[in-house]
Amino acid sequence: MTAGHRAQTAAARTALVCAVAYGAMKLDWALGGAFLMRQTPLPPDARDALLAHTAGSVVQHWGSVALALVGMAAALHLSGRFRPHGKVRRRMLLIGSWAGCAFMTARAAGLLGYGFVNDLRLLTGLDSVPPAYVDLARFQARWDLLLWSPYWLLFGTCWAVAAWHYRRQGHPPARATRSAPAPRASGSAV
């Protein structure tokens, strides 16, 4: 096993663990649980809807569970456990992996609102928050800085590493064609 294949397998397995953890948390929320729910960085209205288990938030949780299942399947394929057959499935796997990487690392960095940069700006006083939400915003920024942003960065990096090495493997080998059975020797006993 080459170093590239080991890196691909390790990254894909870590992505699988991240997808399982995310899916399990969202399943807990969809079923009425609240594991790490209060620590989720959201605007006040969205946080209130989340904590109240509104119908819209529950539907979103089920959608996230489905997305996590897709991520688990993709991670298994990237790990080498299964191989997509053909260019279309291979291309779909790579596009999905790179899209996941882009979204997750952008989220971790702070390009989508929360993330390392914006958490640090808020905690150092460079960003202002309405006085009624200062304590909540700082609470969420600390949790995001210590848990959510590192999680998204790890998850996104794993997609990148696994997809990079998977892409470099080239196309899967063509299926062997069946050859005609060997002729029987004449005069053999039945």
Side-chain angles (χ1 to χ4, degrees):
M1 184 182 286
T2 67
H5 189 263
R6 281 192 301 271
Q8 174 187 342
T9 302
R13 287 180 179 165
T14 304
L16 175 65
V17 169
C18 288
V20 168
Y22 183 74
M25 181 187 72
K26 287 297 195 160
L27 180 61
D28 174 63
W29 291 5
L31 297 174
F35 179 71
L36 292 175
M37 190 178 276
R38 293 192 179 283
Q39 293 79 10
T40 303
L42 291 171
D45 293 340
R47 184 173 189 269
D48 292 342
L50 180 72
L51 294 173
H53 294 284
T54 62
S57 67
V58 171
V59 168
Q60 289 175 350
H61 301 325
W62 283 112
S64 294
V65 169
L67 193 56
L69 290 171
V70 170
M72 289 177 218
L76 285 171
H77 278 280
L78 286 174
S79 73
R81 184 85 174 145
F82 306 104
R83 293 278 185 221
H85 304 287
K87 292 180 183 179
V88 172
R89 288 176 64 191
R90 183 177 178 80
R91 188 167 290 135
M92 285 175 40
L93 179 60
L94 286 169
I95 288 170
S97 298
W98 286 113
C101 166
F103 170 77
M104 292 172 188
T105 54
R107 161 54 179 92
L111 299 175
L112 302 176
Y114 296 94
F116 290 118
V117 172
N118 296 322
D119 295 336
L120 290 172
R121 289 180 53 87
L122 187 125
L123 291 171
T124 58
L126 294 173
D127 276 348
S128 62
V129 176
Y133 299 112
V134 169
D135 291 338
L136 175 61
R138 288 178 186 223
F139 173 78
Q140 289 177 334
R142 282 187 207 99
W143 272 97
D144 190 62
L145 194 59
L146 297 174
L147 175 66
W148 300 113
S149 289
Y151 165 81
W152 290 115
L153 182 61
L154 173 67
F155 205 176
T157 302
C158 287
W159 284 122
V161 170
W164 174 261
H165 289 289
Y166 182 82
R167 182 192 61 81
R168 295 195 62 188
Q169 289 176 1
H171 296 288
R175 291 183 181 177
T177 57
R178 286 188 161 178
S179 57
R184 289 187 171 171
S186 59
S188 62
V190 179

